[in-house]
Amino acid sequence: MARAITLIRSAALSDVAEYAYAATAPADSRLIFLAGACPLNDDGSTAAIGDYAGQALKAVENMRTALTAAGASLQDVISTRVLVASGRREDLVTAWQVVRDSFADHDVPSTLMGVTVLGYQDQLVEIEAVAAVLDA
C-alpha cells in the first residue's frame, strides 16, 4: 500500500534525535487530526495509575484504535506531540521510549513536553497526532 507521507532528515542537523525533523504529505492526501489519545479503559477509567510507561502504552493502543476508525495506521502518522504530566525528565523519557518503540522505524517528527496536569483523574500521558493517507 502506498504511503502518503515522506519523513525528512537533514545532515545539517544533529542525528541524536530519535525522530525525523520534518515530514511532508502530498496535496491529494487526506489529513486526519486526532484528539489527544488518553490512557482510558473502555469504561472511562484511567489505566495504569501511577505508571508512565503503562499509560503511554494504553494511549498508543487507543491512538491505534482511532486511526483504524479513520482508515489509517501508525505508519500513516505524520507528527506527534507527547504530553507527560511531570517535571522530571526521567518520566518524560519513560513515556517517550514506549511511544518511540511503538512506532518502530517510522520515526515521525515529535515533540515531547512536560506539563503540569492533564484532563482526566490520575492521567499522566496524552499523545496528539496527525496522519495523512492516500484514498484509492
Side-chain angles (χ1 to χ4, degrees), residues 13 19 29-30 44-45 52-53 56 58 61-62 69 76-77 79 82 87 96 103 106 109-110 113-114 120 126 134:
L13 297 169
Y19 47 81
S29 62
R30 177 172 52 93
S45 64
Y52 288 93
K58 183 62 174 175
E61 178 185 318
N62 289 342
D76 298 308
V77 172
S79 69
V82 181
W96 169 248
F103 278 89
H106 184 65
S110 297
M113 298 174 57
Y120 292 100
E126 187 163 333
L134 294 172

Side-chain angles (χ1 to χ4, degrees), residues 7-8 11 27 43 52 55 57-58 72 76 79 81 88 90-92 96 109 112 119 122 128 131 134:
L7 300 178
I8 299 173
D43 66 1
Y52 288 93
Q55 288 202 6
L57 194 59
K58 183 62 174 175
D76 298 308
S79 69
R81 181 176 298 123
R88 293 175 13 114
E90 297 82 10
D91 297 333
L92 276 68
W96 169 248
L112 176 63
D122 299 313
E128 297 177 9
L134 294 172

Side-chain angles (χ1 to χ4, degrees), residues 7-32:
L7 300 178
I8 299 173
R9 293 161 181 79
S10 171
L13 297 169
S14 170
D15 62 359
V16 170
E18 298 177 327
Y19 47 81
Y21 280 100
T24 63
D28 60 343
S29 62
R30 177 172 52 93
L31 296 179
I32 303 164

Side-chain angles (χ1 to χ4, degrees), residues 20-85:
Y21 280 100
T24 63
D28 60 343
S29 62
R30 177 172 52 93
L31 296 179
I32 303 164
F33 298 89
L34 281 76
C38 299
L40 299 179
N41 295 312
D42 292 344
D43 66 1
S45 64
T46 302
I49 293 172
D51 179 359
Y52 288 93
Q55 288 202 6
L57 194 59
K58 183 62 174 175
V60 169
E61 178 185 318
N62 289 342
M63 182 173 51
R64 276 189 177 114
T65 300
L67 285 164
T68 298
S73 74
L74 287 181
Q75 297 301 307
D76 298 308
V77 172
I78 194 167
S79 69
T80 67
R81 181 176 298 123
V82 181
L83 309 172
V84 181

